[in-house]
Amino acid sequence: MKLLFAAAFALFVLSAKVDSSAYDKIVAHSRIRAKKEGPNVCALQQVVGTKKKYFSTCRNWYQGAICGKKATVLYECCPGYMKLEGMRGCPAVAPIDNVYGTLGLVNAVTTQQYSAMSKLREEIEGSGSYTFFAPSNEAWDLLDPEVRNGLVSNVNIELYNALHYHMANKRLLTKDLKNGMTITSMYNDLSLHINHYSNGVVTVNCARIIHGNQVATNGVVHVIDRVITAVGNTIQDVIDVEDDLSSLNTVVTASGLMDKLGEPGQFTLFAPTNDAFSKLDSEVMERLMGDKGVLQALLKYHLLNSLQCSEAIMTGTSYETLEGTNIEIGCDGDSLTVNGIKMVLKKDIVTSNGVIHLIDQVLMPDSAKQVMELVGPSQATFSDMVSELGLAAAMRPQAEYTLLAPLNAAFSDEVMSLDQRFLRIILENHILKKKIVLSQLYNGQRLETLGGKFLRVFVYRTAVCIENACLIRGSKEGSNGALHLMKTLIKPAESTMFKLLTEHGGFKIFLSLMEAAGLTDLLKQEGDFTLFAPTDEALAGLSQRDISVLKSDPNALRAILLYHFSKGIFIGGGLETGVTNLLKSLQGSNIKVLFANNSMQVNSVQAPDSDLMATNGVIHFVKTLLYPEDIPVGSQELLTLLRRITRFIQIKFVSGYRFQEIPLTFIKRVITGKVTRVIEGEPTITRVIEGPEYLVRSSSNTELHGPQTEFITSFDTDSERLTKIIQEGTRRVPGRRVPAGARARPRGSRQD
């Protein structure tokens, strides 16, 4: 068996090295599949219930089907070989004859007879070098009887000319038949249009070569599956004269693309009939005709920049349209399908610049749809609610919007039971006032909703999220808007982390420790932080003595608490799933976060609740105190305490180790005091504002509040020094007194 496989593989490699075509490679592959049947045997697939046979691709072979229909395996002699009685396989080379005799060898008997009747026989038996695309016997039977009778009744002219159109005056093997080439026929020098596809199918005016490369002494014979007719018109010409395409003619003319359909090329047009256009609502048709850009998108969505004959389609394949998006062309038995739907009424109207397939539906690209028309079945609940609550009617056709459409599963019974006023607010948070496509979203962006709120955008390595909800695959762009699919409902942030934790009521111990460490302002100030907040349940084991131990070393307490914070907002859906995400804490060590199966683990500890959005960050609950495992402890009492309330880590003890002070450069400190003088020297006053309150902002992010005056300064100092300067007043900073209610303007600044 191994030797057999090696021999077959070597044969395939050798065949690939020669100057061969896709057709030749497919035939070579079919020879390998039939190796066990003897020499020179090819394995073909025949569609059950038909006479259609194919040298098939690997995909069709292993599926055991062609065009969705079951296919049986046939073993036949490969082209050019014959059987010998009493011997396996096809050991004999077929006798070589002239073109006329070769027609009989390939069983193109009807074509051979017609050649004799039309006096073509003498020509193809004589000297020369010809290529004859010979219709099979079945091909002649498929020809319209009236046309066939007309040919047979005038054999010396009509039949002779028809057969001459199937011939070229030089020998062309399948390897010579290149995709998109034209061949001059022997009838009035009219062109034959060749297409050679990657699946091995070769067509002549969309007729498939079913038996190729039967070499003759004076040429070569290729058997084809239909009788071909002369081609002279362009796609534009067909649309102009075909009565059933008058509606399409109107649309193409209005779009300004009629000339495009008359240009040389290799196009495929899926042409909607008049009945297809009549199925569209009058309002939709009116809107389309009123927008030239939309009309062009509509037409280009029906047009491919490649020629796809029906016989070349053996399974569903995606093709890019001139509009820019893809459609899937497939087949179901003898029927062509577009995007999985049987809609082709007539196939293979061959023109000089492509092929036309008539369809009974208008294909509507997203780019020609209004934004609400982009919503699909998986977002039907969102669409229904937007319509029922009057938001769809309020969206002006001339304006642009973006829908952040949650999946149906996001609308739980609890959500649906809410009062309609609240439902409307929820929905307004999912509609943006501008058209924003996926490529325009960036980290830190703020998006205004229909309700006037602003949503934050977070861009991660493998996800794009808006507040707590992340986008999933399926974004679309319409003529007046865009659609993004959201896995969950968006919950805009309303409060700071401090307010959320306080109102929750389950973080009293954590908040008291933050206050003792002087870190409460971190929970209140503006910023983008991720907090892994230990619940009271996690810290319930702390006694008053334990809390005193923690508070006794401010540097240790700050280090522990700041290890629960990370700079930046990281929500569960934004983390790469199934791998450990390392987040650098404000303390300096990494926090290990794993997100899998819609749940979060922090340092191997399950987070019971996550993605609580705050105006200055996001909160994830944890049921244990977190501690950086790379930082040792120098106090035995603290070590005992930490081992009792932490989990899944080994804390090292290093006698005498002291925690280092962490610079709180990320905190904007609030200091209350009374200012009686305006600072005019160093530091420099940049603005003085009247009012009942004053505010001082420094380079160390320090804020001061007090009565009378508000002003902004620049300090090259720390917060302690700033406090001292303010307390010393006139002794430290020379200047003049500012009366209450007066407005002062610093030197060099402009008047507000």
Side-chain angles (χ1 to χ4, degrees), residues 80-91:
Y81 296 91
M82 296 178 61
K83 288 182 175 293
L84 286 180
E85 187 176 351
M87 297 185 68
R88 290 180 70 249
C90 305

Side-chain angles (χ1 to χ4, degrees), residues 499-563:
K499 187 174 181 181
L500 289 174
L501 294 174
T502 303
E503 291 178 350
H504 184 279
F507 296 89
K508 294 184 177 65
I509 300 175
F510 174 72
L511 289 173
S512 69
L513 293 175
M514 289 288 290
E515 184 176 2
L519 298 176
T520 301
D521 290 345
L522 185 59
L523 299 172
K524 297 178 178 180
Q525 69 187 30
E526 293 180 358
D528 295 317
F529 299 101
T530 297
L531 167 62
F532 300 96
T535 62
D536 285 345
E537 180 183 349
L539 304 177
L542 291 175
S543 64
Q544 286 299 320
R545 172 61 184 168
D546 294 332
I547 293 176
S548 298
V549 170
L550 288 172
K551 292 180 179 180
S552 65
D553 187 345
N555 289 336
L557 181 58
R558 284 182 176 180
I560 294 170
L561 293 175
L562 291 176
Y563 183 64

Side-chain angles (χ1 to χ4, degrees), residues 211-320:
H211 185 113
N213 298 330
Q214 194 69 42
V215 177
T217 56
N218 58 347
V220 64
V221 174
H222 305 291
V223 181
I224 58 177
D225 68 348
R226 71 183 72 170
V227 179
I228 58 178
T229 56
V231 174
N233 293 332
T234 64
I235 294 176
Q236 178 183 359
D237 296 331
V238 174
I239 293 175
D240 276 339
V241 301
E242 183 65 47
D243 290 338
D244 203 23
L245 298 179
S246 59
S247 295
L248 178 62
N249 193 332
T250 302
V251 169
V252 175
T253 302
S255 72
L257 292 175
M258 184 63 84
D259 290 344
K260 175 73 175 177
L261 301 181
E263 295 175 358
Q266 290 271 300
F267 301 114
T268 299
L269 174 65
F270 292 93
T273 62
N274 294 341
D275 286 342
F277 278 104
S278 69
K279 295 176 183 178
L280 294 178
D281 291 340
S282 58
E283 291 182 2
V284 172
M285 196 65 199
E286 183 179 349
R287 174 173 62 81
L288 294 174
M289 294 300 292
D291 190 328
K292 187 175 181 179
V294 169
L295 271 185
Q296 289 187 352
L298 178 72
L299 177 63
K300 289 180 178 180
Y301 190 61
H302 291 76
L303 196 62
L304 308 181
N305 201 21
S306 61
L307 198 155
Q308 301 299 327
C309 298
S310 64
E311 282 299 314
I313 307 298
M314 298 170 64
T315 189
T317 306
S318 182
Y319 296 90
E320 185 176 1

